[in-house]
Amino acid sequence: MQNSTISSKEHRAVGFVLVHAGAGYHSESKAKEYKHVCKRACQKAVDRLRAGAVALEAVTAALIELEDSPFTNAGTGSNLNLSGDIECDASIMDGRSLDFGAVGALSGIKNPVLVARRLLSEAQKGKLSAGRIPPCIAACLSTIPPCGPFPPAEKNPCFLVGIGAQQWALTHGIPPCPSEKMATKFSLSAYKRNKRKMELAEKIETEHHFLKRQRPSSETSCLTAVSEIMEPLSSSLDTVGAIVVDQEGNVAAAVSSGGLAMKHPGRVGQAAHYGCGCWAENAHDAKPYATAVSTSGCGEHLIRTMLARECSTAVQAEDAHQALLEAMQNKFIGSPFLASEDGVLGGVIVLRCCKCGDDQSADNFQALLVEFLWSHTTESMCVGYMSAHDSKAKVRKSPHDTQQTSDQH
C-alpha cells in the first residue's frame, strides 16, 4: 500500500484547478502521455477562469480534455465491457448551488460529462411542465408513462442511466458518437488480451473441478493460478477527474470513467454515484472552508464508503493534511464496510479554500487561500495543477515523482 499526499498553498489567485488521470497503475511507457493530458486539462480550465468563467464551466472544460485523450479510461479510449461495448459513467457537482448531475452506463456519447453537466443545468430550472414526474434514476426513457396523473412536486432528473441517458442526451442536442469510434487500438488490444485471460482462467477452473475430487490439495494452486491471470484486469483504474475554485471562491468537481475492464454490461461505478465520485460544497455558516473532491479507484470500494463526501467533511479540520490521512485510514482502508476485501483501492484529490485576511469581500481576489492535497492506496496516481497566475501547469505521478512535500507559491 502506498499513501502519498501533497499539500500546497496558493495566494492571490483568481482561480485554481487540480486534475487527475486516475489512481491505479500507469505504465512508464505512457507516463509522458498521462502528464501531457493533465497539463492540457489544467490549461483548458485556466483559460476559462481567465475569461471570467465560473468554476462549473472550468471543471467541465478540464473533463472534456481528459475524456478526449485516447490514453485515459474515460470517453474516447474507455475500457470495453464483457460484450465488447463502451459504457461510461460521469458526474459533476456545483458547490455554490449544491446541484448534481450524473449519467451511468452511457453509450454512444463522446463526452459523458456534457450530459451530466446538462442534467445539472436542467435540474436548476425546477419542475417540468404539466407537473410531470421524471425519474431521478431511469433505466430507459420508454418506461416513463406518456401521460398523467403526476404529483406536482417533482424536479427534473439529476441521474440517468443506459439507453434512457443516451436518448435524453440526443433530445437535448448532444451529438451521438458510435462506440466503434470511441474505441482505440489500445482499448481494443486490451479487450482482446483480457478476453483471452478470462477464457484461460475459466478453462483452469473447469479443469480444477474434475481434479478436485481426486486431489483436494490442487485447490490452492488453482486459485493462485487464476489470481495471477486475473490480477492485471483490476490494476488499471484510471478514472479521470477535476476540481476547481474560481475567483469568487465557488468550487466545482467532476469525474468521468469507462469503468472496470471486462465489467458486466450495465454496471455503474462510483463516477456516477452521489457522494462517491465527486463532491463540491461552498463555505457557509456551518463549514468555514469551501471543499471539492474527485475520486478514482475501485468503484465498489468507493461507493460503499462514500469517500468523496467523507473526505470533504474531514478537511474542515484545522490540519487538512492530517485529516485527509486519517480519513483515508479510518473511513476507507480500515472501513468496516470493506472488512472482507483483501486490498482496498482508491485515490482522491482534494481542494479547500477560504477567504483570509481582514478584507474578505467577494471582489478581493487576494483574500483567497487555496490548499490542495491528494492521497492514494494504489500503485500510482497522476495529477496536475495550475493557478490562473501560472504560466504552465505542474504535473506529478506519485509515488515516483513525489513524497510528502509542501510548496509555497
Side-chain angles (χ1 to χ4, degrees):
M1 189 273 293
Q2 307 229 356
N3 198 329
S4 302
T5 304
I6 277 192
S7 63
S8 177
K9 294 180 179 179
E10 177 70 30
H11 295 281
R12 302 177 183 177
V14 294
F16 186 87
V17 57
L18 175 63
V19 307
H20 71 79
Y25 168 73
H26 300 87
S27 66
E28 289 303 314
S29 63
K30 297 178 183 177
K32 184 179 294 185
E33 284 78 7
Y34 283 117
K35 291 181 178 181
H36 282 170
V37 70
C38 284
K39 287 182 179 180
R40 293 196 304 270
C42 287
Q43 189 64 59
K44 290 288 185 179
V46 165
D47 287 346
R48 299 297 300 134
L49 290 172
R50 287 171 177 166
V54 295
L56 196 62
E57 295 176 24
V59 82
T60 303
L63 257 291
I64 291 173
E65 189 67 28
L66 291 166
E67 288 178 338
D68 285 346
S69 170
F71 298 100
T72 60
N73 178 29
T76 301
S78 288
N79 286 330
L80 276 63
N81 64 17
L82 273 173
S83 302
D85 299 319
I86 289 177
E87 292 181 334
C88 297
D89 307 325
S91 64
I92 188 168
M93 187 168 181
D94 180 14
R96 178 170 56 179
S97 66
L98 301 182
D99 285 320
F100 173 82
V103 291
L106 174 65
S107 296
I109 301 294
K110 182 182 179 184
N111 294 112
V113 72
L114 287 179
V115 189
R117 172 71 174 86
R118 186 63 182 270
L119 278 165
L120 186 152
S121 298
E122 293 297 317
Q124 292 176 333
K125 296 179 181 179
K127 301 176 185 178
L128 293 175
S129 62
R132 289 176 298 142
I133 299 182
C136 195
I137 301 177
C140 178
L141 283 182
S142 61
T143 64
I144 303 174
C147 58
F150 298 104
E154 194 67 33
K155 293 181 67 177
N156 281 281
C158 66
F159 182 12
L160 293 171
V161 300
I163 188 64
Q166 183 189 51
Q167 292 176 355
W168 189 93
L170 297 178
T171 59
H172 285 78
I174 298 174
C177 180
S179 291
E180 55 268 25
K181 289 189 176 181
M182 295 175 65
T184 64
K185 63 179 182 179
F186 303 108
S187 61
L188 287 171
S189 62
Y191 172 74
K192 294 176 182 177
R193 183 172 62 253
N194 290 334
K195 193 172 181 64
R196 288 194 298 268
K197 289 179 179 179
M198 291 188 69
E199 291 171 350
L200 178 58
E202 290 172 358
K203 181 180 178 181
I204 292 174
E205 289 178 337
T206 300
E207 293 175 348
H208 166 66
H209 288 304
F210 288 104
L211 296 173
K212 186 176 180 180
R213 293 180 180 178
Q214 300 176 359
R215 292 184 297 170
S217 61
S218 66
E219 183 172 3
T220 301
S221 61
C222 171
L223 294 176
T224 300
V226 171
S227 177
E228 290 175 351
I229 292 171
M230 300 305 294
E231 183 179 5
L233 297 185
S234 62
S235 63
S236 181
L237 304 167
D238 41 0
T239 300
V240 303
I243 49 182
V244 171
V245 57
D246 62 27
Q247 62 187 20
E248 302 293 338
N250 300 309
V251 291
V255 63
S256 182
S257 177
L260 294 173
M262 310 304 287
K263 65 183 179 181
H264 193 283
R267 181 258 191 189
V268 178
Q270 103 285 352
H273 281 78
Y274 185 76
C276 305
C278 68
W279 190 263
E281 187 173 0
N282 276 16
H284 50 80
D285 292 341
K287 295 185 177 180
Y289 296 101
T291 58
V293 181
S294 181
T295 70
S296 177
C298 178
E300 283 69 21
H301 296 172
L302 297 164
I303 291 169
R304 284 150 66 183
T305 55
M306 294 192 72
L307 189 62
R309 188 171 183 177
E310 288 285 3
C311 289
S312 173
T313 300
V315 296
Q316 289 292 335
E318 183 177 353
D319 186 343
H321 180 276
Q322 184 62 31
L324 180 58
L325 289 176
E326 290 178 358
M328 288 293 288
Q329 180 61 49
N330 301 329
K331 301 295 186 179
F332 190 58
I333 300 170
S335 170
F337 298 103
L338 302 178
S340 62
E341 298 293 334
D342 293 332
V344 179
L345 303 173
V348 295
I349 55 173
V350 180
L351 176 154
R352 78 172 189 179
C353 65
C354 66
K355 296 291 182 65
C356 59
D358 296 331
D359 185 358
Q360 298 189 16
S361 61
D363 58 353
N364 182 7
F365 300 155
Q366 295 185 5
L368 191 65
L369 174 68
V370 178
E371 187 174 4
F372 67 94
L373 313 94
W374 74 82
S375 182
H376 60 97
T377 66
T378 55
E379 185 171 343
S380 64
M381 188 171 189
C382 188
V383 302
Y385 52 94
M386 184 178 184
S387 82
H389 284 296
D390 291 335
S391 59
K392 61 181 181 179
K394 294 181 180 179
V395 183
R396 300 286 185 269
K397 188 171 81 68
S398 61
H400 301 298
D401 289 356
T402 64
Q403 298 297 325
Q404 288 192 4
T405 60
S406 179
D407 296 331
Q408 187 77 34
H409 296 267

